[in-house]
């Protein structure tokens, strides 16, 4: 009995994983199955797993994978973003694969703006554990004006299959399951308290992790992953938590001085769905901090504000807050609202020099004219009187290490941060 072509197609991925030759597909056709006009491909792209990015894909006439990424849209504006990509290529070991990714026509403040450049990178893993960073080529065309004259808003890269599958991503992925593993590991430590402060718009729990003694003289608040693609913040938190729970002499000294509160993954819905920036309602969680957050549209910010107000009522207002992000610059963003902010600026100068002294940070702070109202940095300062900043980690290149970042580099940053905070609170 001849198996149906559909059934054969369905089995292909399994054969590939088992490393079986594709000869069977050809044999089925030659032994009498009715051929249709579209040849079966030797390459399959899998986008149906945690944090994988939604995208359409096809194999073009040259046998290249062409992936059309799906924009992440902001509500109430024309802004749209694609930075995140994460998928699995399945093909026989040894296959030479060329991938073209398109739709990097981001709209930012109602202008077309691509983040793609020759410095752009991708990461690849043949076992979903050990990743390496590789360079890409920017292709002309594909921009809003179309045609070859349009600036590069497509990328291309090539690789050889070293196993029957290859995981490809924009930055080394950190998924909700990675966070859950960390939470499970630290939950019973007597220096740790984990509080659920609310739920995301899709109902995922939002946790705040406390590390240290509640009555320590100073308090630090960190938020990571407000933007879904920016996994660097989560790796940094991993490194920080690892160090703070190492029980070594340095840490005993640190935790006498301060206690850390962390909202490790603000935009869980975006992470789950492999999106780039906004929450499930198209809300940018690093905007509109100048006003109270809407409970329905931005629950991730609303519950953080509720928690903050509760801390303030309990006389436990954070003394410093950092919102950790990824961008192509790597600066410490110091927003400068009107009013007397001399002491705030002096504190941020101190923070910057401590980061330079104790970590691989060399990029520096934003220039004296910089202001970005509505960011968590400025909102915490003006509304709650908390010294705060947005800390961007460059996801393309770490100047201080002269290399493209991988998780281990951000973990090493997190390992060094406790010493920075110790001296900041001196
Ligand atoms: Zn960001």
């Amino acid at each position: 009995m001849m198996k149906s072509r559909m059934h054969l197609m369905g089995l292909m991925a399994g054969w590939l994983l088992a490393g079986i030759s594709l000869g069977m597909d050809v044999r089925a056709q030659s032994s009498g199955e009715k051929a249709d006009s579209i040849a079966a491909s030797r390459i399959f792209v899998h986008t149906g797993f945690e944090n994988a990015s939604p995208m359409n894909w096809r194999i073009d006439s040259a046998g290249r994978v062409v992936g059309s990424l799906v924009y992440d849209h902001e509500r109430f504006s024309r802004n749209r973003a694609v930075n995140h990509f994460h998928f699995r290529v399945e093909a026989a070991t040894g296959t030479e694969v060329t991938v073209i990714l398109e739709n990097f026509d981001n709209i930012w403040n109602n202008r077309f703006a691509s983040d793609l450049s020759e410095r752009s990178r991708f990461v690849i893993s043949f076992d979903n554990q050990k990743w390496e960073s590789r360079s890409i080529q920017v292709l002309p065309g594909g921009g809003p004006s179309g045609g070859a004259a349009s600036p590069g808003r497509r990328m291309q890269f090539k690789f050889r299959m070293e196993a029957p599958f290859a995981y490809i991503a924009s930055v080394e992925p950190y998924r909700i399951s990675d966070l859950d593993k960390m939470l499970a590991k630290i939950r019973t430590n007597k220096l740790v308290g984990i509080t659920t402060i609310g739920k995301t718009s899709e109902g995922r729990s939002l946790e705040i992790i406390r590390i240290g003694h509640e009555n320590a003289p100073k308090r630090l608040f960190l938020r990571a992953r407000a933007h879904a693609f920016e996994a660097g913040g989560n790796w940094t938190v991993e490194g920080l938590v690892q160090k703070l729970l190492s029980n070594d002499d340095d840490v005993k000294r640190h935790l006498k001085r301060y206690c850390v509160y962390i909202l490790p993954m603000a935009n869980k819905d975006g992470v789950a769905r492999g999106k780039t920036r906004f929450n499930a309602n198209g809300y940018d969680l690093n905007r509109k901090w100048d006003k109270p957050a809407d409970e329905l549209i931005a629950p991730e910010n609303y519950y953080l504000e509720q928690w903050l107000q509760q801390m303030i009522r309990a006389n436990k207002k954070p003394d410093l807050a950092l919102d950790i992000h990824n961008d192509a610059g790597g600066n410490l963003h110091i927003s400068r609202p009107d009013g007397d902010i001399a002491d705030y600026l002096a504190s941020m100068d101190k923070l910057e020099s401590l980061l330079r002294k104790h970590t691989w940070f060399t990029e520096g702070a934003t220039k004296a004219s910089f202001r970005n109202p509505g960011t968590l940095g400025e909102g915490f300062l003006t509304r709650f009187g908390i010294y705060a900043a947005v800390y961007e980690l460059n996801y393309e290149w770490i100047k201080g290490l002269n290399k493209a970042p991988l998780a281990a580099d951000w973990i090493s940053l997190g390992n060094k941060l406790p010493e920075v905070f110790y001296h900041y609170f001196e």
Side-chain angles (χ1 to χ4, degrees):
M1 189 69 185
M2 179 58 64
K3 282 177 180 156
S4 78
R5 181 169 177 79
M6 286 296 285
H7 187 60
L8 274 174
M9 297 278 283
L11 284 176
M12 270 188 61
W15 293 346
L16 287 168
L17 287 170
I20 294 170
S21 140
L22 287 169
M24 258 179 109
D25 187 48
V26 176
R27 200 160 58 238
Q29 284 192 25
S30 60
S31 62
E33 190 195 7
K34 188 171 172 264
D36 58 29
S37 59
I38 297 177
S41 169
R42 288 161 181 269
I43 299 174
F44 182 78
V45 178
H46 203 308
T47 60
F49 56 92
E50 186 188 11
N51 187 244
S53 38
M55 72 174 190
N56 284 314
W57 62 276
R58 64 192 167 88
I59 307 294
D60 72 4
S61 57
R64 301 174 298 192
V65 175
V66 181
S68 287
L69 295 159
V70 175
Y71 290 107
D72 192 5
H73 292 269
E74 185 173 37
R75 185 178 286 244
F76 307 131
S77 89
R78 290 183 60 202
N79 291 340
R80 66 184 191 191
V82 155
N83 273 89
H84 180 81
F85 52 87
H86 187 190
F87 53 89
R88 184 170 74 213
V89 173
E90 298 175 356
T93 301
T95 306
E96 300 289 343
V97 178
T98 300
V99 174
I100 294 172
L101 296 179
E102 52 189 31
N103 288 348
F104 290 92
D105 286 321
N106 292 346
I107 299 179
W108 195 235
N109 299 330
N110 299 319
R111 292 206 185 102
F112 284 104
S114 171
D115 279 338
L116 276 192
S117 74
E118 293 297 341
R119 295 195 324 167
S120 299
R121 319 271 305 177
F122 73 106
V123 293
I124 186 166
S125 171
F126 294 101
D127 62 4
N128 206 17
Q129 287 176 31
K130 191 182 177 310
W131 295 79
E132 59 180 283
S133 176
R134 297 186 184 178
S135 58
I136 61 115
Q137 193 188 346
V138 179
L139 296 184
S145 56
S150 175
R153 272 142 180 170
R154 297 187 299 156
M155 68 161 71
Q156 175 178 284
F157 51 84
K158 301 176 183 191
F159 60 91
R160 182 182 167 276
M161 296 295 290
E162 294 174 19
F165 53 81
Y167 286 85
I168 309 279
S170 49
V171 297
E172 187 166 338
Y174 186 101
R175 296 141 292 211
I176 296 176
S177 57
D178 295 306
L179 175 63
D180 288 343
K181 267 181 231 160
M182 183 182 81
L183 294 178
K185 204 159 71 185
I186 67 174
R187 194 175 289 278
T188 55
N189 191 304
K190 61 182 192 306
L191 286 170
V192 175
I194 300 174
T195 311
T196 300
I197 59 163
K199 287 187 186 315
T200 65
S201 46
E202 293 187 332
R204 296 181 172 89
S205 62
L206 291 165
E207 301 90 3
I208 289 206
I209 310 167
R210 172 184 50 80
I211 310 253
H213 312 289
E214 275 183 283
N215 296 318
K218 299 287 182 182
R219 284 161 301 277
L220 166 73
F221 171 73
L222 296 174
R223 181 176 77 159
R225 213 67 181 271
H227 296 145
F229 97 93
E230 299 167 9
N234 272 122
W235 291 116
T236 304
V237 166
E238 282 271 333
L240 177 87
V241 168
Q242 193 183 79
K243 176 69 180 174
L244 288 174
L245 296 180
S246 67
N247 200 32
D248 68 16
D249 289 345
D250 289 339
V251 166
K252 284 176 188 154
R253 170 170 55 86
H254 299 154
L255 293 182
K256 274 182 201 150
R257 185 165 288 171
Y258 64 85
C259 175
V260 186
Y261 293 87
I262 309 165
L263 175 61
M265 193 183 276
N267 191 355
K268 273 191 177 175
D269 298 344
V271 174
R273 296 181 184 281
K275 306 293 267 307
T276 289
R277 188 173 178 96
F278 308 112
N279 82 348
N281 296 319
Y283 191 93
D284 189 328
L285 298 178
N286 194 31
R287 292 292 182 273
K288 303 190 176 72
W289 273 101
D290 51 337
K291 293 182 192 70
D294 184 280
E295 185 177 356
L296 288 177
I297 292 184
E300 299 84 356
N301 285 1
Y302 172 82
Y303 290 114
L304 173 54
E305 280 175 0
Q306 299 294 107
W307 174 81
L308 203 53
Q309 274 154 1
Q310 193 188 316
M311 292 289 283
I312 292 169
R313 283 195 299 270
N315 258 330
K316 287 183 175 168
K317 184 162 91 172
D319 300 281
L320 173 68
L322 290 177
D323 195 21
I324 313 176
H325 288 254
N326 275 127
D327 75 356
N331 298 110
L332 189 63
H333 284 215
I334 311 298
S335 192
R336 292 159 176 86
D338 299 333
D340 182 4
I341 54 167
D343 188 65
Y344 166 70
L345 292 179
S347 297
M348 292 302 104
D349 275 352
K350 182 179 180 185
L351 178 65
E352 185 196 341
S353 60
L354 289 168
L355 283 169
R356 287 178 189 277
K357 185 173 176 190
H358 296 287
T359 77
W360 45 247
F361 173 82
T362 59
E363 284 83 352
T366 45
K367 57 181 186 281
S369 58
F370 180 83
R371 183 176 179 190
N372 196 352
T375 56
L376 183 146
E378 186 168 321
F380 270 38
L381 177 64
T382 54
R383 284 176 59 208
F384 306 106
I386 297 170
Y387 287 8
V390 171
Y391 181 14
E392 298 277 0
L393 307 171
N394 191 323
Y395 67 93
E396 293 178 340
W397 199 255
I398 299 177
K399 270 193 213 158
L401 298 177
N402 198 29
K403 74 183 285 286
L406 288 170
D409 303 308
W410 287 319
I411 289 172
S412 81
L413 173 74
N415 284 168
K416 305 285 186 198
L417 286 177
E419 190 71 20
V420 171
F421 302 135
Y422 176 79
H423 293 290
Y424 177 86
F425 289 128
E426 223 155 46

